[in-house]
Amino acid sequence: ERIDARGLHVLPGAIDVHVHFREPGFAHKETWTSATQAAAVGGVTTVFDMPNTRPPTASPAAVAEKDALAAKQAIVDYGIYGLIGEDNGDELKAMLDAGASAFKLYMGSENPLAPCPSDGAIVDAFETLAGLGIRCTVHAENTPILKRRGERLRRSGRVDAAAHLEQHADIATVEAVSRSAIFAEWTGCKIHIAHESSRHSLPHIRFAKSRGVDITVETCPHYLFLSTDDSSRLGANFLRVKPPVREPGHAGPLWDALIDGTIDILSTDHAPHLPDEKRRPVIWDCAPGFPGVETSMRLMLTEVNRGRMTLCQYVRMACRAPADAFGLAHKGRLEVGVDADIVLVDLRAEGRIEGALLHSLGNATPYEGFATIGMPVRTMVRGRTVALDGRPVGQPGWGRRVGAPSASA
Ligand code: NCD
Ligand code: ZN
Ligand code: ZN
């Protein structure tokens, strides 16, 4: 295939280490087909899928079940997260053998699909993963603290204060970031902090790194581009995401940390829900999260155009750093011998984000109407074009599972 790339920039495909592609269990929100089409159009060539599906990806059989669904449909490459549970510590190795690429720990989830293990179980799991050399991604949020305080406020009739607490208290995140870093130092486990939302976590992250903890950190576009000020535009409940988008004053330090490398990775936490699940009158009924795989690169290229960062810095956070953190030596860079996961971008292309045009089934985007400059125009996975000019063209089943680092070594 000869491709005319005149006037375009050639980048490695983006690697998104935090997506919720919803199957099995929630195909009404998203399928592997719709999600990987959205990813391909968005310039994403590899994704790592989170385990809070139904059934949760917490056993070798569940890993195999998800892999079968993904293998049939995916047009981009994918990794599968295994879930760290209270009682599945003995199965982690078997889950790797079944195809898990990494593990996910929910440190404070109220979600029955991904309940929070006890501190003892967390330390045990970290010890096992340290032995296996596998990185553990952590949803670092101590939601039981928030829940308890929120219930007290609600019981005393202070419902607004309880809602405010859910949206604003970042102590739950900061506490869990620092606790997981301490557990990582204690056990030697490599960890990856998911969706960093608060500037107050940054000193704890720097401290852990200064002590030699192998800790990587990601943030997501919604913490960089949105704040609680957007609730009037979007509706307070629509803005609901875990962890919450913070008040103004956090995004600036998060940008600085992402550019200076304190935050290593840009992911999306692509968490699609149907529009009516996002627009419920009571905040606790409103589904948390937003779609992200198709809009992230456009938003970030716009910032490159505005001079906030260089294209090389973008490639580092979106391609190279995730490949390095998750042992994908054959991806995330443009070098002879690596997979030809390539995105051609037109840095001049102007556009506007429109939810109705996104390929995700959960296409209600908080960036509706955002003007962008810079667009992926061709996405290639292992040498084959999977998206062209905003349309998915890949063959379902072309996407391949990426192995865990020790499994591929
Ligand atoms: C995620 C989801 O919908 O699965 N939602 C979110 O707000 N981030 C769950 C999660 O990542 O905790
Ligand atoms: Zn999470
Ligand atoms: Zn998530």
Side-chain angles (χ1 to χ4, degrees):
E1 198 176 5
R2 278 185 79 83
I3 293 166
D4 185 354
R6 271 175 296 186
L8 305 177
H9 284 74
V10 183
L11 312 185
I15 298 172
D16 191 340
V17 297
H18 190 156
V19 303
H20 299 266
F21 279 2
R22 303 301 190 204
E23 277 190 293
F26 301 96
H28 68 288
K29 293 178 195 274
E30 192 76 288
T31 65
W32 277 92
T33 300
S34 59
T36 58
Q37 289 181 338
V41 171
V44 177
T45 50
T46 305
V47 296
F48 277 49
D49 185 60
M50 286 297 171
N52 60 333
T53 40
R54 185 181 292 139
T57 321
S59 66
V63 172
E65 180 187 354
K66 179 173 284 187
D67 188 29
L69 285 164
K72 262 195 279 190
Q73 300 175 61
I75 68 168
V76 302
D77 287 353
Y78 60 91
I80 294 174
Y81 275 108
L83 179 73
I84 303 289
E86 181 69 27
D87 300 311
N88 68 352
D90 293 341
E91 289 201 287
L92 302 185
K93 174 76 173 64
M95 287 162 74
L96 283 180
D97 294 339
S101 317
F103 286 91
K104 175 70 181 290
L105 166 70
Y106 285 86
M107 273 183 100
S109 180
E110 302 145 59
N111 183 343
L113 292 169
C116 178
S118 61
D119 282 354
I122 294 172
V123 172
D124 283 352
F126 276 15
E127 215 149 49
T128 302
L129 294 180
L132 294 167
I134 300 291
R135 190 173 298 273
C136 189
T137 294
V138 182
H139 179 124
E141 199 181 24
N142 187 337
T143 36
I145 294 183
L146 294 186
K147 204 171 170 200
R148 190 184 163 100
R149 289 166 61 101
E151 271 163 14
R152 210 174 58 215
L153 289 165
R154 275 192 271 179
R155 267 202 309 277
S156 60
R158 298 174 61 200
V159 174
D160 286 354
H164 186 270
L165 178 81
E166 146 133 8
Q167 287 294 62
H168 295 267
D170 64 355
I171 181 178
T173 293
V174 179
E175 186 276 336
V177 166
S178 95
R179 182 157 44 103
S180 59
I182 289 166
F183 291 168
E185 178 166 358
W186 196 19
T187 57
C189 184
K190 302 189 266 192
I191 62 168
H192 175 66
I193 301 293
H195 44 44
E196 184 48 62
S197 60
S198 170
R199 68 188 170 92
H200 294 126
S201 294
L202 298 173
H204 297 268
I205 292 162
R206 292 197 178 96
F207 179 68
K209 288 188 172 189
S210 77
R211 291 178 63 82
V213 179
D214 190 338
I215 178 174
T216 55
V217 184
E218 69 182 25
T219 191
C220 315
H222 39 282
Y223 304 115
L224 301 169
F225 291 94
L226 305 176
S227 75
T228 48
D229 280 358
D230 288 284
S231 61
S232 44
R233 176 175 63 88
L234 295 167
N237 297 354
F238 184 98
L239 196 60
R240 185 165 192 242
V241 58
K242 292 180 175 187
V245 164
R246 309 293 174 189
E247 54 275 25
H250 286 269
L254 292 177
W255 270 112
D256 293 344
L258 185 59
I259 290 167
D260 78 21
T262 302
I263 296 177
D264 308 81
I265 290 174
L266 179 81
S267 69
T268 67
D269 195 7
H270 177 87
H273 301 282
L274 292 189
D276 71 296
E277 296 172 318
K278 287 294 298 167
R279 297 185 194 283
R280 293 195 177 135
V282 178
I283 186 143
W284 296 283
D285 298 335
C286 183
F290 318 112
V293 286
E294 196 168 343
T295 48
S296 180
M297 189 176 286
R298 288 175 64 183
L299 293 168
M300 298 305 275
L301 292 178
T302 304
E303 295 306 306
V304 169
N305 269 306
R306 289 186 178 141
R308 186 180 312 243
M309 63 186 158
T310 66
L311 198 54
C312 286
Q313 285 168 331
Y314 171 65
V315 167
R316 189 195 69 211
M317 63 184 73
C319 315
R320 180 112 196 187
D324 289 347
F326 288 87
L328 306 177
H330 57 301
K331 291 187 180 292
R333 60 208 77 210
L334 296 178
E335 282 166 20
V336 174
V338 304
D339 288 354
D341 294 352
I342 291 170
V343 186
L344 303 185
V345 304
D346 181 350
L347 271 184
R348 301 267 76 84
E350 297 189 22
R352 205 167 276 283
I353 290 177
E354 278 183 68
L357 299 182
L358 301 180
H359 292 82
S360 177
L361 298 185
N363 62 6
T365 173
Y367 312 109
E368 186 70 42
F370 275 38
T372 59
I373 314 175
M375 215 165 311
V377 295
R378 183 191 285 266
T379 305
M380 303 173 78
V381 172
R382 285 174 284 102
R384 198 176 283 183
T385 298
V386 294
L388 187 61
D389 294 326
R391 283 175 299 111
V393 297
Q395 192 63 35
W398 177 246
R400 265 198 220 149
R401 179 164 56 73
V402 298
S406 58
S408 58

